[in-house]
Amino acid sequence: MALNLGFVVGILGVVILSHAAYSTVQYRGLLKIMEEEFSGPPLNVVVELLLGLVLCMWAALTVPGTFLSIHPHSEENRIVSLPANLDFMIFNHRARVFPVEMDLKLKH
């Protein structure tokens, strides 16, 4: 099983975010022992959070693959390229209980 670079970077980002969370909990415990108020996480935890966020976002954008066109007349459209799947299109759904024309007017 070969792991591509985006997947490894995503795992690394999650590990960094987990370490930042653990460091924050450990820091708060230390502050409770010293009886001080928590004013925010230390700078190294903030840097870890930002680095983990960037790595996870980069992995989320690269791992799924290429974006496909959403235009209806595109050659990459699934319905155009796979006409055998038209048997699975269902038009008998719950919308049939609503009237075709709804002349609802707001009363003031």
Side-chain angles (χ1 to χ4, degrees):
M1 181 174 134
L3 298 176
N4 61 0
L5 179 65
F7 191 73
V8 173
V9 169
I11 290 175
L12 181 66
V14 169
V15 168
I16 289 175
L17 287 176
S18 300
H19 183 265
Y22 178 75
S23 296
T24 303
V25 170
Q26 189 178 17
Y27 178 69
R28 288 189 67 158
L30 180 67
L31 288 179
K32 284 183 182 179
I33 291 172
M34 295 183 351
E35 297 177 353
E36 294 181 13
E37 287 291 321
F38 179 75
S39 61
L43 183 62
N44 63 343
V45 173
V46 173
V47 170
E48 279 185 37
L49 285 172
L50 292 175
L51 179 65
L53 175 71
V54 168
L55 291 177
C56 286
M57 287 186 65
W58 184 78
L61 291 174
T62 58
V63 168
T66 59
F67 291 107
L68 299 176
S69 175
I70 61 170
H71 297 293
H73 301 295
S74 174
E75 294 179 10
E76 297 173 353
N77 196 343
R78 287 185 233 146
I79 294 177
V80 174
S81 63
L82 300 172
N85 284 342
L86 293 178
D87 294 337
F88 293 104
M89 295 179 73
I90 298 172
F91 296 103
N92 189 13
H93 49 79
R94 289 178 276 179
R96 69 173 179 247
V97 298
F98 296 112
V100 176
E101 293 184 22
M102 295 178 64
D103 293 330
L104 299 175
K105 295 181 182 178
L106 297 174
K107 295 180 182 179
H108 295 287

